[in-house]
Amino acid sequence: MIVASSRRTFLKTGSAALVYASLPREALPLPADRPPRVGIIGGGLAGVSCAWLLDGVAEAVLFESRQTVGGHAHTIPVVAGNQEVLVDVGAQFFARGPHPTYVKLLELIGLFDPNFPEHDASLEAEMSIAVMEKGRIYPRFLSPATGRFWPVFAPWNYQGLWAFLWFALGAKEFAEHGDWDVLVGSWLKTLPIREEDRERLLLPLMSAMVGCSIEQARQLSARGALAFVGKALPESLLAPFKYSNSLLGLGGNVQFLAQLSQNLTVHLGSNVTRVRRSRRGGFRIRNASGVEDNVDVVIFATPPYITSSLLAEIPRLSRTARVLRSFEYFPSEISVHRDPVYMPEDPWYWSAYNISVENAYSEASVWYGALRPVQHGQTPLPLFKSWATARSKAPEQEVFRRQFLHPLLTPGFVRAQRRLAAYQGRAGIWFAGSYTRDVDSQESALVSAMNVVRELAPTAPNLLELAGLMEAVSVFQRRSPESPEKGEGA
């Protein structure tokens, strides 16, 4: 990887012809006498994955507005309990069920080893859950965990356990085979549980998992909202519910992947302000610092609300811009702090994932003390990552806060994904990112990059190696939740 405004020359016999042969008819002609240059706007997981997948067959030129690659994969160092911990402010957890391709990528680049987990760059932890409601003495639900089996026998927890059991059974099936148009509110009514448990436990639980308000959660696509629970559940519902997180952080993983990309030039610290056709063919990309670069094709790996504004000078893509503007997002805030302001008052109830229901919102607080092993003579880490969009009280020991815009995965969002798929590759423009397919996750970001590179360079070595690790090739062939609708003319 080169972080500069200069360009590294890379010659690979036949690479230009390989990319040219696989482009759709409406794509711009690519040079046959030199390696193609692929412009990538956005340095998150999707953008950097595109560069790494293309390594060896094309020159990648990546533009990122922040000072480091990572995008929403934002990792910061925090000192807590006399040790430094890398905290993911944005996306963090992964598991083989909902993230099969991403896990294989980490295995391939040496950051995850399921056979020797104690020696790799990740930690697996039980995702114990507590759901607290303001004004209520006991949790509305407290999950059992290793070393904490007593919640099974607590009378106040019986109804919550029963409701969660039915929820888990239904989620496991619906997350794989459900209809994307079914709303969360409608799906919850199919469970044979009390109305109170649907409205006061399960709906707030799903709201917290997504980060939206409780009423917004009611309108989500149930299949999308259930993905991170249903696909991560073990075969036996009596077994612990586990997720992994990287010791490098997701941001560190993205930076590591970028360093592995030998034919990548990166322009950091400035927003792209203009993308236009070049008189010499291809495109010219310019950022706010005045850096310009010529490329043959462009991959937009930025959120749709950013991408749509950059299509203004590209003829025949006005309808594509309208599709991009139809993706709905909502704001949220994440706080990293050292005080347990959002934890249950009684430490006996403290869990890895602690949900507080207050008014119209249900927000979670992740306790790092439950995610990191406690050494002999030490106490669990006093470190927390909390959703703090509508909290009535702010942390007193806040380390960092960041605002995000998150996808609101309604059936309308899913339909927009299908419409966008029909515009992929038109006029030499491609779209990658977690918003383009399935649910908002590391898996979707990576698979979206694989789908684009599969069209540009189907025999790219890194693509073939990663795909070869996936026993089912169909995992990365799906561009959207269902087959894309037939698109209109550009």
Side-chain angles (χ1 to χ4, degrees):
M1 178 182 69
I2 303 174
V3 182
S5 297
S6 62
R7 158 182 177 179
R8 176 176 177 171
T9 303
F10 169 70
L11 298 177
K12 182 76 174 178
T13 305
S15 61
L18 171 66
V19 178
Y20 176 76
S22 63
L23 285 174
R25 295 178 183 177
E26 293 192 34
L28 299 178
L30 294 179
D33 58 345
R34 60 171 175 81
R37 289 172 62 79
V38 178
I40 303 170
I41 302 175
L45 178 58
V48 172
S49 294
C50 285
W52 178 78
L53 290 164
L54 286 166
D55 211 37
V57 296
E59 291 184 4
V61 183
L62 188 147
F63 289 79
E64 166 57 37
S65 62
R66 300 175 67 85
Q67 294 298 327
T68 61
V69 295
H72 281 183
H74 187 184
T75 304
I76 61 171
V78 179
V79 176
N82 297 320
Q83 61 177 294
E84 185 178 82
V85 180
L86 293 176
V87 176
D88 282 313
V89 183
Q92 175 177 355
F93 300 106
F94 63 91
R96 189 173 299 277
H99 305 88
T101 318
Y102 179 66
V103 168
K104 285 298 182 183
L105 172 66
L106 296 184
E107 290 182 24
L108 180 61
I109 63 178
L111 295 180
F112 182 74
D113 187 343
N115 297 318
F116 301 97
E118 66 276 9
H119 299 303
D120 66 14
S122 68
L123 280 176
E124 187 179 61
E126 291 185 32
M127 292 303 294
S128 53
I129 301 172
V131 180
M132 304 295 298
E133 188 176 306
K134 188 175 182 180
R136 185 182 173 96
I137 297 175
Y138 299 112
R140 189 163 281 279
F141 170 68
L142 188 66
S143 68
T146 301
R148 189 180 80 177
F149 199 67
W150 62 264
V152 172
F153 305 104
W156 50 261
N157 204 32
Y158 289 168
Q159 288 296 334
L161 284 169
W162 180 253
F164 188 83
L165 176 62
W166 279 109
F167 171 76
L169 287 170
K172 198 168 186 177
E173 172 67 20
F174 203 85
E176 292 287 354
H177 308 293
D179 185 341
W180 288 90
D181 286 333
V182 174
L183 302 179
V184 162
S186 301
W187 181 81
L188 287 175
K189 291 179 181 178
T190 67
L191 302 180
I193 59 175
R194 300 183 309 171
E195 180 71 12
E196 178 181 352
D197 293 323
R198 280 196 287 267
E199 293 294 314
R200 308 287 288 273
L201 170 59
L202 298 183
L203 186 60
L205 173 63
M206 299 180 77
S207 167
M209 289 190 298
V210 176
C212 61
S213 72
I214 293 175
E215 281 307 306
Q216 285 175 321
R218 200 185 300 276
Q219 302 303 317
L220 295 172
S221 164
R223 180 169 174 177
L226 293 168
F228 298 117
V229 173
K231 293 183 179 182
L233 287 170
E235 288 300 317
S236 170
L237 293 181
L238 298 178
F241 179 54
K242 294 184 177 182
Y243 260 94
S244 295
N245 55 108
S246 174
L247 294 175
L248 298 178
L250 178 55
N253 291 349
V254 174
Q255 292 170 25
F256 187 84
L257 192 64
Q259 292 169 3
L260 296 177
S261 305
Q262 298 299 308
N263 310 114
L264 169 63
T265 299
V266 178
H267 303 299
L268 296 172
S270 185
N271 291 317
V272 169
T273 57
R274 191 177 189 188
V275 180
R276 59 185 175 87
R277 286 277 178 82
S278 172
R279 293 179 180 177
R280 292 177 292 179
F283 299 89
R284 191 161 184 81
I285 303 174
R286 179 185 176 90
N287 67 15
S289 297
V291 174
E292 291 189 319
D293 220 323
N294 290 312
V295 298
D296 299 304
V297 296
V298 177
I299 301 173
F300 282 95
T302 47
Y305 49 83
I306 293 176
T307 303
S308 61
S309 64
L310 293 174
L311 297 183
E313 295 189 59
I314 303 176
R316 302 176 64 198
L317 290 182
S318 59
R319 293 187 181 182
T320 310
R322 285 200 297 271
V323 172
L324 290 166
R325 288 193 292 270
S326 70
F327 287 93
E328 187 177 358
Y329 279 67
F330 66 92
S332 67
E333 293 188 22
I334 303 292
S335 171
V336 179
H337 52 100
R338 297 190 182 94
D339 56 318
V341 59
Y342 305 132
M343 297 294 287
E345 291 185 11
D346 190 336
W348 278 95
Y349 305 147
W350 284 24
S351 303
Y353 198 70
N354 305 270
I355 298 171
S356 300
V357 182
E358 185 176 354
N359 300 324
Y361 270 81
S362 173
E363 298 188 283
S365 184
V366 174
W367 177 33
Y368 272 73
L371 303 181
R372 295 289 192 272
V374 180
Q375 303 300 326
H376 180 69
Q378 295 183 343
T379 58
L381 278 176
L383 183 60
F384 310 87
K385 182 178 84 171
S386 304
W387 281 253
T389 306
R391 302 277 193 177
S392 59
K393 185 179 180 181
E396 294 180 358
Q397 300 179 42
E398 188 169 72
V399 177
F400 188 83
R401 180 178 287 254
R402 182 178 172 184
Q403 295 182 335
F404 289 94
L405 288 176
H406 285 293
L408 190 65
L409 192 62
T410 63
F413 196 101
V414 176
R415 288 191 289 272
Q417 290 177 331
R418 296 169 183 164
R419 289 195 296 271
L420 183 63
Y423 291 96
Q424 287 280 18
R426 295 195 178 192
I429 299 294
W430 300 84
F431 307 97
S434 60
Y435 78 94
T436 64
R437 66 176 312 281
D438 209 69
V439 300
D440 182 32
S441 70
Q442 303 97 308
E443 178 75 7
S444 297
L446 174 59
V447 173
S448 74
M450 294 177 73
N451 285 335
V452 169
V453 173
R454 183 194 57 168
E455 298 295 332
L456 291 173
T459 58
N462 286 342
L463 174 67
L464 292 180
E465 188 169 10
L466 180 55
L469 290 174
M470 301 303 298
E471 295 180 0
V473 178
S474 62
V475 169
F476 75 89
Q477 287 182 335
R478 293 174 296 171
R479 299 190 196 179
S480 61
E482 304 292 345
S483 300
E485 297 171 349
K486 185 175 180 181
E488 303 173 84

